[in-house]
Amino acid sequence: MKVIDKRTNKNKDKFEVGDVVCYYDSPNKKWYSLITEVNDRIYLIDFNSDYVGMDEFSGEDGYDKVDVLIYGLRSQWKHVEKVNAQLVITE
């Protein structure tokens, strides 16, 4: 088993599928999304709506790399950061 500490500075700017991203212009209006991969394309799953679904930012075609998605987010939002989060699935 390998333990990866995502809290270290070396991983601060490296985003991967499964990471939760927070992006905003104003701290009182933050957006949270999960980076996902579907059919070799990268998308964001939006957690801010009344439903959980694909984020508009991803578009229909998604992205070919996580870095390209993050670059796009950073070009549209003042702050883009990885969130120390954990996905819990219950039945």
Side-chain angles (χ1 to χ4, degrees):
M1 177 169 63
K2 182 177 179 182
V3 177
I4 300 172
D5 184 358
K6 290 191 166 190
R7 295 173 297 170
T8 62
N9 287 336
K10 67 180 179 179
N11 291 326
K12 185 175 119 182
D13 290 326
K14 177 152 176 41
F15 290 82
E16 299 174 348
V17 171
D19 286 339
V20 175
V21 181
C22 175
Y23 45 100
Y24 57 92
D25 287 328
S26 173
N28 59 351
K29 182 64 174 170
K30 293 183 178 182
W31 297 93
Y32 294 92
S33 295
L34 175 70
I35 300 173
T36 59
E37 183 175 358
V38 178
N39 296 329
D40 296 325
R41 303 299 292 174
I42 307 299
Y43 297 90
L44 290 175
I45 300 293
D46 182 14
F47 293 130
N48 304 295
S49 306
D50 293 335
Y51 69 96
V52 174
M54 292 290 189
D55 188 286
E56 290 178 5
F57 183 80
S58 299
E60 292 182 19
D61 297 328
Y63 292 86
D64 59 343
K65 295 180 180 178
V66 174
D67 294 341
V68 175
L69 178 136
I70 297 301
Y71 178 82
L73 280 175
R74 287 186 169 150
S75 68
Q76 289 192 355
W77 299 91
K78 290 181 182 176
H79 301 278
V80 177
E81 58 195 29
K82 191 177 347 180
V83 175
N84 186 12
Q86 182 175 351
L87 177 63
V88 178
I89 300 173
T90 61
E91 294 183 324

